[in-house]
Amino acid sequence: MNFTDTEEREIKAKAAKAGISIAELLRISAFKLSIVERLTDFEREAIRELMYQGKNLNDQVRACQANAWPSTKRKAEACLDGILAILSKLKVQNSTLL
């Protein structure tokens, strides 16, 4: 398989930037990255709703902090942490190398 001139320049630049050989870059690309399925419409909508609810919860936490309601603040923060954990599982993992 041959690369176009543009593809070859891009590959060389990425390898140089990462301080690795072109062969290592291609091995990482081929074998070490996870293939992630695309999200369904339902999953995208669920993520949007979670993000919206997370924003609302974050606003509530700020209000609790401003009014010094520590117990309510802790409960809201725990809930927000749970939402963020769900979102991080749904997030597509990208390599910083590529």
Side-chain angles (χ1 to χ4, degrees), residues 43-75:
E43 290 167 330
R44 280 192 296 276
E45 183 59 34
I47 290 171
R48 276 192 289 272
E49 181 62 25
L50 279 170
M51 290 171 68
Y52 176 76
Q53 293 304 326
K55 181 188 176 305
N56 287 343
L57 188 55
N58 201 21
D59 291 343
Q60 292 172 6
V61 169
R62 281 193 206 107
C64 290
Q65 289 170 332
N67 294 306
W69 299 333
S71 175
T72 305
K73 176 184 164 246
R74 280 191 299 275
K75 290 176 185 174

Side-chain angles (χ1 to χ4, degrees), residues 11-60:
I11 289 169
K12 286 179 179 179
K14 285 182 178 184
K17 184 177 179 180
I20 60 175
S21 68
I22 292 171
E24 181 65 13
L25 176 77
L26 296 176
R27 275 193 294 279
I28 290 169
S29 299
F31 300 113
K32 295 184 181 177
L33 294 179
S34 299
I35 305 300
V36 179
E37 295 180 13
R38 294 184 187 266
L39 298 176
T40 65
D41 289 339
F42 173 78
E43 290 167 330
R44 280 192 296 276
E45 183 59 34
I47 290 171
R48 276 192 289 272
E49 181 62 25
L50 279 170
M51 290 171 68
Y52 176 76
Q53 293 304 326
K55 181 188 176 305
N56 287 343
L57 188 55
N58 201 21
D59 291 343
Q60 292 172 6

